[in-house]
Structure formats: C-alpha cells, structure tokens
Amino acid sequence: MRLIGMAVIALALAACDSVYRTPDVIAGAGQGTNVRVVPVTAETVVQANRSPYTPAALPAIFSQTAGSGGAIRGAGALPDAPLQPEIAPQSLTLRLPPDAPAQPYQIGVGDVVLLSTPTPTGDTVAELSGLLAAQNSRQGYTVQDDGTINIPNIGRIDLAGRSIEDAEARLFQELVRNQVDPNFSLEIAEFNSQRVSIGGSVSNPTVVPVTLVPLYLDEALARAGGIAVSDIDFASVRLYRDGSLYQIPLAQLYANSQLTRTRLQDGDVLFVDSEFELDRAQQYFEQQLTIANVRQSNRQSALQELQLEIGLRRADLTEARQNFQTRIDLGADNRDYVYLAGEVGQQSRFPLPYESRASLSDALFENGGIASSTGDVSQVYVLRGSTHPREFGAVTAWNLDLRNAANFTLAAQFELRPDDTIFIAQQPVTRWDRALSQIIPQIISIGTQVTN
C-alpha cells in the first residue's frame, strides 16, 4: 500500500505543470504576438520616452475663476471711496503744505503776451523829438485754448506750457523760418492762466493772479483786504491744494514770520475760517457729508451686486466641475489608463493624470507597489504594444531589474503611455508554493482513498 501511495504522489507532482499555470513574458514570436524584451537602462529610458504623447487637458472650467469671464453684469465702474472733508478740530493745529516748487513762470491759456518789434526811423526832427510811442510796434496776443497765438503772416505758434525764455526761442525759430527780422522782445501783459482764490473772513474775497514774481501768503491776504476776524485764537487760514487740506492758525501766523512767506502756487484756495461763524461752515460740511454718504451707499450697492455676480459664477463653475467628475466616475469620459497585473499590491487600472505625465514609480506606488513576498523584483515589465500598422501584434517588453535598488531612479524616469501594462512576474518559489497548495489537497484525498 505504501508503494501505491508513493506512486500516486509522484504522478501528482509530475502533473504540477498542468495543475497550476502562471503568466510570464516570453520573448520571440509565438501565439500571435511578437515580443521584444528590452532591458531598462538610462539609454533605453530615453528611447522609451520618445514615443509621442500629449496628456489629456482638463476642461477650461478648471482654469477659470469666479472673477473672470467678462464684465460684471450691471455693476459698472465702482465709485471712488468717499473723502470726508476735515472738520475743524477743537484745538487748532498747524499743518503746513509742502513747499511749492520754484520754477519759471509757464505761459498758459488766457495769458496775453506782448510782442515788441522796432520800426524804421528817419532823420526828420519830428521823428526824433519827444518820447514817441511809434518808436516801437507793440502788439498783444492772447494765448488761445489750444495753447497757441496767431501772428499775421506767420501763423499759429504754440506757447502754452513754455517759460518766457523758451517762448522767445520758439518765436525766433518761426520768424527766421518765415524770413522776418527776428529782432523782438516778449513780455506778458496780462496774467490770466494761473490764479489763487481767497475767501472766508477777509475784507474783500478775490482771485489773485500768479505772475512772474512769486506769490506769498501775506501778499495774497493783503490783496484780499486783510483778515477780518474778531478773535485770532479761534481762526485759521486753510489752504486747499491738490485735494489736500492744510491749516495755519492765525495766532501762529502772526507770531512766526516764516509762515507768512509760505509760497503759493496755481490752483491754491485760501479760506480764512473762524469758529464764531459756524453757520455757513456747518451747512457746507453737512452737504459734503451727505455727498459722502451717497457715494458710500452707491459703493456698497455696487459691491453687493458684484458679490452676487461672483457667487453665481462660482456656483456655475462648481456645478460644471462636479458634472465632469460624475462623468469620470460613470466611465463616460474617454480617459487614458495604464493596467497593472501580476504580483502587484493591487491589480487594477491606473488613470493617467491630466496635463502632466506619470512615471512607472507613480503607478506602482499608487497601487501598493511590488508584492514583497511573491513578486520577482528582477522581472518588472512595462508591456507596450506597437501602434504602427506594419507591426500589428508587436509588443515591446521593457524589463526593469530592481534587484539593484539604484534602478528605482530609472522607474521614476520611465514615462508611461496610454494602454501600457505593468506586469510583475512571481518568484519561482511562489509558483511552487501555489502549485503545492492546489496539489496537496488532492494527494491527501487520494491517499485516504488508497488507505481505505
């Protein structure tokens, strides 16, 4: 009986190959497939990565933000932030304006320039006697709104924005160009383009022109008839310049002569204010506060409309992105995959990422890596079928030997392509162990039957 049992066991072991079959990569032509095995090295990685491939792009909705995509509906330009006028403080403080730049007078629109040219003189006594006005031909010209003056027989000459010296040089060029005697002198007869306004508690509110001579604070107040306040301790000179408010208390103005020499410039507005005359000032400030409140209300309404519009856009983008994700989950999106088989942590398919490339390492470690107890680290393959019509059925098996741990760097460099298959063969001892796990129950069953 023992001999019969041993014979049965021998027959069972001899039939292992028919009991347990495992996949493997077989080089050469056979069974309808031509397999070429290529070891993975630094050089062959470059060769494998040369195959053309463009990663799929995400839909445009993933690059849009709620603030993009055209003009905001109905919002228009947001109003400026309100600027509330500064109310006079209880204790008057000194706030000096920045020094006005010292520069030559610039001719402007409205100025009247005087052009003097000599006239020929004779030898008669009448021509030589007295202070004759005819000794010089004097003609005034007003600078027009386009910045030019019009001289007969010469034409229009631009003078606005020029100093007197620059204007004379410009006139000289035009006279020479028109073959006219360039012997002349240029003066400004009327200063109308640059002004300083003076109001408030002064004897004579007025507008003072800025001329060739610098205009200082004390001179401007003098031309307005002086300050008319009963108590200088509660009064100040306020200077509005370029949207900013400056203040000089009268007590400090009279005590410090340097403050009276504050240089003024075009566009300055002086207002002598007294706290004992608050009715008009209060009305003015109430109007300004009302305007500021209206602007603030308009700004808040525009911001609320903007937030509502952005909220609607964000909801649209979120819904579109969720719909795209649902299509992926349901398999309705034509996505590229790589397949993992053999002794891997989990046999599955690995989706290639959008707008970037994945490596062999990405796919392996995303799915549990190599099964350390059963996988043959020397038999890691990337199977890639040829798409060329003449190579129908041809497969390149890129073989990576990871017995040398340094070759993991090659796995990180090896780029995957759609429909690649990552296959890891099993170790020989694993094949034997699995064969025995199927054979031993049969041996025990046969032995039991023989014994009985």
Side-chain angles (χ1 to χ4, degrees), residues 170-401:
R170 181 76 178 90
L171 284 168
F172 181 86
Q173 294 175 357
E174 289 298 321
L175 293 176
V176 170
R177 189 175 66 85
N178 288 275
Q179 298 181 355
V180 177
D181 183 9
N183 189 10
F184 69 93
S185 64
L186 181 67
E187 301 176 3
I188 301 179
E190 296 181 17
F191 297 88
N192 300 321
S193 64
Q194 301 184 31
R195 301 176 181 179
V196 173
S197 301
I198 307 172
S201 299
V202 292
S203 299
N204 183 27
T206 185
V207 176
V208 180
V210 178
T211 64
L212 299 177
V213 180
L215 179 62
Y216 295 97
L217 178 60
D218 55 349
E219 298 173 358
L221 293 175
R223 294 192 186 186
I227 298 174
V229 295
S230 57
D231 192 341
I232 64 174
D233 292 334
F234 296 94
S236 63
V237 177
R238 294 189 174 182
L239 172 61
Y240 296 88
R241 175 183 294 173
D242 297 332
S244 299
L245 174 64
Y246 307 96
Q247 179 175 266
I248 302 177
L250 284 185
Q252 298 186 38
L253 179 66
Y254 291 153
N256 188 349
S257 60
Q258 296 293 332
L259 297 179
T260 62
R261 304 304 292 173
T262 300
R263 184 171 179 173
L264 304 178
Q265 65 183 34
D266 177 39
D268 285 350
V269 177
L270 294 177
F271 186 85
V272 180
D273 185 24
S274 173
E275 291 191 357
F276 289 107
E277 299 176 357
L278 293 179
D279 293 340
R280 294 176 60 188
Q282 183 177 358
Q283 294 177 0
Y284 169 78
F285 288 124
E286 287 178 352
Q287 292 176 356
Q288 295 300 313
L289 287 173
T290 301
I291 294 174
N293 290 334
V294 171
R295 290 178 177 174
Q296 181 69 16
S297 177
N298 292 340
R299 183 176 178 84
Q300 290 177 352
S301 299
L303 288 175
Q304 290 175 358
E305 188 172 355
L306 175 63
Q307 291 173 354
L308 177 61
E309 177 70 16
I310 291 178
L312 292 174
R313 287 186 177 180
R314 183 175 289 114
D316 289 342
L317 289 175
T318 301
E319 183 177 4
R321 293 168 184 173
Q322 290 176 350
N323 290 340
F324 178 75
Q325 185 62 48
T326 302
R327 288 179 57 85
I328 293 178
D329 296 339
L330 296 176
D333 182 68
N334 187 19
R335 192 166 185 182
D336 296 327
Y337 291 94
V338 169
Y339 302 90
L340 293 95
E343 303 304 316
V344 291
Q346 179 181 1
Q347 297 195 34
S348 61
R349 63 179 184 176
F350 171 73
L352 292 178
Y354 289 95
E355 300 182 0
S356 62
R357 303 186 180 217
S359 67
L360 175 58
S361 294
D362 295 331
L364 285 177
F365 292 104
E366 186 75 17
N367 292 271
I370 302 173
S372 58
S373 60
T374 60
D376 187 350
V377 293
S378 67
Q379 300 295 316
V380 178
Y381 293 94
V382 176
L383 307 178
R384 182 173 299 172
S386 176
T387 58
H388 197 282
R390 296 181 180 178
E391 298 179 354
F392 182 77
V395 174
T396 301
W398 304 93
N399 177 217
L400 178 62
D401 188 351

Side-chain angles (χ1 to χ4, degrees), residues 42 123 153 221 367 438:
D123 296 332
N153 301 325
L221 293 175
N367 292 271
Q438 295 185 11

Side-chain angles (χ1 to χ4, degrees), residues 113-119 133-141 185 187 189:
V113 297
L114 196 62
L115 186 62
S116 300
T117 58
T119 58
Q135 285 182 345
N136 289 284
S137 176
R138 300 166 63 85
Q139 180 67 42
Y141 300 94
S185 64
E187 301 176 3

